[in-house]
Amino acid sequence: MAFMEKPPAGKVLLDDTVPLTAAIEASQSLQSHTIAGLSLPLPPKKLIGNMDREFIAERQKGLQNYLNVITTNHILSNCELVKKFLDPNNYSANYTEIALQQVSMFFRSEPKWEVVEPLKDIGWRIRKKYFLMKIKNQPKERLVLSWADLGPDKYLSDKDFQCLIKLLPSCLHPYIYRVTFATANESSALLIRMFNEKGTLKDLIYKSKPKDPFLKKYCNPKKIQGLELQQIKTYGRQILEVLKFLHDKGFPYGHLHASNVMLDGDTCRLLDLENSLLGLPSFYRSYFSQFRKINTLESVDVHCFGHLLYEMTYGRPPDLVPVDSFPPAPSMAVVAVLESTLSCEACKNGMPTVSRLLQMPLFSDVLLTTSEKPQFKIPTKLKEALRIAKECIEKRLIEEQKQIHQHRRLTRAQSHHGSEEERKKRKILARKKSKRSALENSEEHSAKYNNSNNSAGSGASSPLTSPSSPTPPSTSVEHAPF
């Protein structure tokens, strides 16, 4: 397919961040199975009696637990191999081959660039691929080319989308990583940036090599250690400054995480501004889609900043969100910011603004020494297109949050209805109803009998053929035991 061709009509743009689940219907015996160095609870082998009904049931339960661990692990659940195993119909394509085809077509018209090697699986996205590049007349310089397909939140027109992508190299900001070259067609975008040997903020935290695969680098770190307090303060302040700049420009971001922050000495520079234009879902979408108060891209950025701050502080991401209690931190000022972005109260009531975070004690006294003046001129027409696209992205998020909320309510109701306590309540109510019904029947029968006696005693006429009614035996009602 040529680089400038349109995508096939009716192409479905999947949200790859939607969690997949699986139920075991059959099992197969394996042992000592690991992924990316992470030990997983796969049941052991059994040589004798491995076809017994009890053992098969036990094995099925163990395998289900194994799958549950994988599908609830944030990094593993987004892995291409896991997606292909659980949903082969939607994840059967060879995305590396597709990227190579697109990039090859691009180089036919841009011969000055040359591919050095593919950077296999260095990112977490299934439909985003990376290549180490060089310029033919500058062979010592190394650059990185990223190619990405469209995502489910692409609401810009093809013309506006391509114009905005091509504007990115003109964006100058001390805390945005410079784009050397950018181009796009109706189905994808291709960008080139300088390669940084030091890697990203996440590489610093995990002490990993930038060229290694994402799973190897981050899934099971050997050493967990947070950053120094001054690093946390400085990096945090720089990131908040660039978020405020983008928010003021009306440029939607929504993709903040430690791998999207490049380190250049002691300076953080934001990566991947193109993601929101492409309509790609956020790394943390499965988290903030649970909370209906996080429903704008500004609040998404603030919530994602909370995840990033937690990782900088403790050397690893939070196990669960919202966070009930925070481990000891280098300063209570750090905990105050974490509570405002990741706590139960924050997720329930909503996020603070970036401006509010900048005023908090952790960041308010940080002095920034850069003299570079930010520049990013967006034509009025494209600003309006961005505003409409942002509203559409937020609308899809709100609809998804509504569906999740309704599903949760239904699940809770079903769980409550099927609980042991609820079954006991229903049994007690059934007994009372049965007793009440039996008592009412008894009283009704007695009333009819008394009316009959009263009629006979008052000399009421009766047919000549009817004999006098004998006194009936006493009536009693027996209740069956429950």
Side-chain angles (χ1 to χ4, degrees):
M1 185 171 68
F3 183 72
M4 299 309 292
E5 282 183 6
K6 290 188 177 182
K11 179 180 178 183
V12 178
L13 301 178
L14 291 177
D15 187 339
D16 296 324
T17 64
V18 173
L20 299 178
T21 58
I24 295 291
E25 295 180 355
S27 62
Q28 180 180 354
S29 180
L30 294 171
Q31 191 173 17
S32 302
H33 193 91
T34 60
I35 294 181
L38 185 68
S39 297
L40 298 169
L42 192 68
K45 288 183 178 180
K46 184 177 181 182
L47 298 177
I48 300 173
N50 59 5
M51 294 304 292
D52 293 345
R53 181 178 298 177
E54 293 80 6
F55 173 72
I56 291 175
E58 181 184 345
R59 172 56 57 88
Q60 182 170 329
K61 184 178 179 182
L63 289 169
Q64 185 65 61
N65 181 51
Y66 170 78
L67 266 182
N68 291 345
V69 169
I70 292 175
T71 54
T72 54
N73 182 294
H74 185 54
I75 292 181
L76 289 183
S77 63
N78 285 298
C79 170
E80 183 176 346
L81 292 174
V82 172
K83 294 282 189 182
K84 283 189 173 184
F85 175 73
L86 295 178
D87 190 4
N89 292 332
N90 285 317
Y91 293 94
S92 59
N94 187 329
Y95 301 107
T96 302
E97 185 63 32
I98 294 171
L100 280 170
Q101 290 175 5
Q102 297 280 321
V103 171
S104 298
M105 294 304 298
F106 159 72
F107 284 122
R108 290 185 182 181
S109 58
E110 295 285 345
K112 73 172 185 175
W113 307 96
E114 186 177 325
V115 174
V116 177
E117 62 177 320
L119 297 172
K120 192 175 181 182
D121 301 327
I122 65 166
W124 69 276
R125 290 190 186 277
I126 296 172
R127 305 167 202 273
K128 192 167 192 175
K129 300 300 176 182
Y130 300 86
F131 302 88
L132 192 65
M133 309 290 299
K134 68 178 180 181
I135 303 174
K136 287 183 179 179
N137 61 2
Q138 298 175 5
K140 290 186 178 180
E141 282 195 356
R142 290 293 181 264
L143 303 99
V144 173
L145 181 150
S146 65
W147 174 89
D149 208 347
L150 296 179
D153 280 324
K154 194 265 186 182
Y155 295 106
L156 292 165
S157 70
D158 291 343
K159 183 180 178 181
D160 291 340
F161 166 64
Q162 292 177 47
C163 288
L164 282 162
I165 288 289
K166 291 175 182 178
L167 266 183
L168 292 179
S170 69
C171 178
L172 299 177
H173 192 284
Y175 308 125
I176 292 177
Y177 202 66
R178 183 79 183 271
V179 175
T180 303
F181 176 86
T183 189
N185 63 12
E186 295 87 349
S187 65
S188 59
L190 180 155
L191 290 91
I192 298 176
R193 297 175 172 92
M194 295 299 297
F195 177 69
N196 189 333
E197 295 284 349
K198 291 184 178 180
T200 64
L201 180 56
K202 200 173 184 81
D203 291 323
L204 173 69
I205 296 170
Y206 287 72
K207 298 173 177 58
S208 56
K209 298 177 181 178
K211 289 185 181 180
D212 285 344
F214 195 86
L215 285 179
K216 180 181 178 181
K217 290 188 289 189
Y218 310 130
C219 194
N220 189 30
K222 294 179 180 179
K223 188 177 182 181
I224 296 174
Q225 184 177 352
L227 303 181
E228 298 291 331
L229 179 59
Q230 192 55 48
Q231 288 177 304
I232 294 170
K233 290 168 67 73
T234 302
Y235 296 161
R237 175 66 187 264
Q238 291 171 351
I239 292 166
L240 288 173
E241 287 289 344
V242 71
L243 289 178
K244 186 176 187 303
F245 172 78
L246 292 173
H247 292 178
D248 291 346
K249 285 286 181 181
F251 191 97
Y253 186 53
H255 294 274
L256 180 62
H257 59 89
S259 290
N260 271 355
V261 179
M262 189 67 78
L263 272 183
D264 187 3
D266 292 328
T267 302
C268 281
R269 302 188 194 274
L270 214 59
L271 285 166
D272 289 3
L273 266 63
E274 69 272 16
N275 283 358
S276 59
L277 306 179
L278 280 154
L280 303 181
S282 170
F283 182 65
Y284 290 120
R285 188 179 181 89
S286 61
Y287 288 91
F288 59 73
S289 60
Q290 310 293 318
F291 310 113
R292 301 182 75 178
K293 289 290 185 178
I294 306 176
N295 52 21
T296 66
L297 288 184
E298 289 85 358
S299 62
V300 164
D301 280 336
V302 171
H303 180 69
C304 292
F305 179 80
H307 282 262
L308 176 57
L309 181 63
Y310 190 104
E311 203 165 3
M312 285 197 292
T313 304
Y314 302 113
R316 60 181 180 83
D319 295 325
L320 294 171
V321 175
V323 181
D324 293 326
S325 60
F326 296 91
S331 166
M332 286 306 297
V334 176
V335 177
V337 179
L338 291 173
E339 286 178 340
S340 72
T341 54
L342 295 179
S343 67
C344 295
E345 184 179 356
C347 292
K348 182 179 179 181
N349 297 328
M351 298 290 108
T353 62
V354 169
S355 297
R356 174 71 188 97
L357 292 183
L358 283 166
Q359 294 169 0
M360 295 184 76
L362 183 62
F363 306 116
S364 60
D365 62 350
V366 176
L367 296 176
L368 300 178
T369 57
T370 181
S371 58
E372 184 180 347
K373 188 176 179 181
Q375 294 180 19
F376 192 19
K377 293 181 180 179
I378 305 173
T380 304
K381 183 182 176 182
L382 291 180
K383 278 188 176 181
E384 179 63 15
L386 280 173
R387 185 189 65 78
I388 295 170
K390 177 178 177 291
E391 288 178 357
C392 292
I393 293 171
E394 291 169 349
K395 184 178 179 181
R396 187 175 87 87
L397 174 60
I398 290 168
E399 284 299 314
E400 184 178 326
Q401 290 170 332
K402 184 179 178 181
Q403 291 173 10
I404 291 172
H405 180 69
Q406 290 173 344
H407 178 72
R408 277 180 169 175
R409 288 183 63 183
L410 180 62
T411 302
R412 281 198 298 265
Q414 289 173 340
S415 176
H416 177 69
H417 191 70
S419 67
E420 185 64 29
E421 182 181 352
E422 191 64 19
R423 284 198 296 269
K424 287 180 180 178
K425 286 182 180 179
R426 289 200 299 272
K427 190 177 284 189
I428 292 169
L429 287 173
R431 282 186 198 170
K432 289 180 178 179
K433 187 176 180 180
S434 178
K435 287 181 179 179
R436 189 164 54 247
S437 178
L439 185 61
E440 288 173 355
N441 289 338
S442 173
E443 290 174 350
E444 185 180 347
H445 186 84
S446 298
K448 286 181 180 179
Y449 172 68
N450 290 335
N451 288 339
S452 176
N453 276 350
N454 289 339
S455 297
S458 62
S461 60
S462 60
L464 295 176
T465 55
S466 299
S468 299
S469 300
T471 305
S474 61
T475 305
S476 63
V477 177
E478 293 185 5
H479 295 283
F482 288 90

